[in-house]
Amino acid sequence: MEQKKPELSELSRIRDRITFLYLEHAKLNRQDSAIVVADNQGTVFVPAAIISVLMLGPGIDVTHRAMELMGDSGMSVVWVGERGVRQYAHGRALNHSASLIEAQAKLVSNKQSRVAVARQMYQMRFQGEDVSQLSMQELRGKEGARVRRVYKEESQRTGVPWSRREYNPDDFDSGTPINKALTAAHQALYGLSYSVIVALGASAALGFVHTGHDLSFVYDFADLYKAEYSIPIAFSMVKKYGDDKDIGSRTRLAMRDAFVDGKLMIRMVADLKMLLGDSNKAEAETLNLWDDRMGLQKFGVQYAEHEDNHS
């Protein structure tokens, strides 16, 4: 029996969804409007419309019908490496409007507006300080000092030793406990940031501070929240569990718990629209034809007869 595709109005608002779900070594199928997840521990049913991003790790076997439901529900699907430390591919997101990505492209393509957005992003991290006259080099230095201070303060708060940030993306287990926890925490934050960016129809690649990578804007955006979420949670997890072999998984679950009330997602949605200067029109779905002289023209109109008369 053919499943009815959900109407856009039936879909949960982006900010009301559960932030992310990471799965590995499981089989995914579909039953009605739920994703059926089965592994050696049992079977669970996950309502597709309440998940913002689904991270598929190694050992996932997913059916065509399950992918169809994910696409219809506007769920962002990301294929990742073990523990989510690499991203390989992603699926189509909820919003089908191009307004936000057009605004983003315009801002990032002009040097003056790009610097203005970058300064605005740094300003969000330096409340009460005026950074409007600082160069990008000065802003990077100021941000570097802030992050070093955050690491030092978290080390003092938790008693977890800290020297420097280092990790091998090809060998997660080779890192120190705190570096493994930080990697897991940051990846969870990247996943949520990515989900919000693409769900609203912006580009993950068009960064203002980072550049040249298909996730440049994800790194830009996630940096706004690391000092409040991923860094303190990582230190707290190492304080609580030490050199636990499951420190990555425990940290990822702690991040999910921190996201669960939805307040960060609500904030991210507002921050993203503010940074790119877009209003609620980003949620509208319209399709027009572009004309270099006449501006936007209606889609779905037969223009051949009109054009023939002028040929």
Side-chain angles (χ1 to χ4, degrees), residues 113-309:
S113 61
R114 182 172 184 170
V115 170
V117 174
R119 282 187 178 134
Q120 195 171 13
M121 297 180 79
Y122 281 116
Q123 185 67 71
M124 294 168 67
R125 286 168 273 187
F126 295 100
Q127 298 295 326
E129 299 183 45
D130 182 10
V131 301
S132 62
Q133 302 304 314
L134 298 183
S135 67
M136 292 299 294
Q137 182 179 4
E138 290 169 330
L139 288 167
R140 287 194 300 271
K142 190 175 182 66
E143 171 67 357
R146 183 187 77 100
V147 173
R148 288 193 296 272
R149 184 175 68 251
V150 171
Y151 281 133
K152 181 178 179 180
E153 290 173 351
E154 288 301 318
S155 177
Q156 293 173 343
R157 176 182 69 85
T158 60
V160 174
W162 173 254
S163 56
R164 60 178 179 172
R165 178 76 174 112
E166 57 181 351
Y167 74 101
N168 182 352
D170 296 318
D171 188 3
F172 179 83
D173 291 322
S174 67
T176 62
I178 184 56
N179 273 293
K180 288 191 287 187
L182 284 166
T183 296
H186 289 338
Q187 289 297 334
L189 186 59
Y190 292 149
L192 180 59
S193 300
Y194 171 84
S195 175
V196 171
I197 289 168
V198 299
L200 287 177
S203 169
L206 297 181
F208 294 87
V209 178
H210 297 84
T211 190
H213 192 278
D214 64 338
L215 297 177
S216 293
F217 191 50
V218 174
Y219 300 138
D220 280 3
F221 200 55
D223 279 352
L224 299 176
Y225 313 103
K226 284 182 178 178
E228 296 178 59
Y229 285 88
S230 55
I231 296 176
I233 286 175
F235 274 89
S236 294
M237 288 298 99
V238 175
K239 176 184 179 181
K240 185 174 182 179
Y241 296 107
D243 193 12
D244 190 299
K245 64 182 180 63
D246 293 325
I247 191 65
S249 176
R250 292 184 184 279
T251 303
R252 189 164 52 247
L253 290 174
M255 290 292 288
R256 188 182 67 186
D257 291 343
F259 297 158
V260 76
D261 61 7
K263 292 180 180 178
L264 178 58
M265 186 174 285
I266 293 172
R267 179 176 161 194
M268 282 181 162
V269 170
D271 287 347
L272 185 63
K273 289 187 175 184
M274 179 271 294
L275 287 169
L276 301 184
D278 195 74
S279 65
N280 289 332
K281 67 181 181 180
E283 297 182 5
E285 183 178 344
T286 55
L287 182 61
N288 294 297
L289 301 176
W290 179 82
D291 189 288
D292 61 333
R293 296 180 180 179
M294 302 173 65
L296 297 181
Q297 300 296 298
K298 288 184 178 181
F299 171 74
V301 175
Q302 177 56 262
Y303 290 100
E305 180 179 352
H306 176 76
E307 291 172 355
D308 288 344
N309 290 336

Side-chain angles (χ1 to χ4, degrees), residues 41-80:
Q41 297 182 5
T43 301
V44 295
F45 294 81
V46 180
I50 69 168
I51 301 295
S52 176
V53 60
L54 185 63
M55 302 172 70
L56 303 181
I60 288 293
D61 184 358
V62 56
T63 67
H64 184 278
R65 293 186 69 247
M67 290 304 305
E68 179 185 31
L69 175 60
M70 295 175 200
D72 288 346
S73 301
M75 181 192 302
S76 295
V77 183
V78 186
W79 284 263
V80 297

Side-chain angles (χ1 to χ4, degrees), residues 104-116:
Q104 181 183 10
K106 183 177 180 180
L107 289 168
V108 81
S109 300
N110 177 276
K111 182 178 179 180
Q112 186 174 0
S113 61
R114 182 172 184 170
V115 170

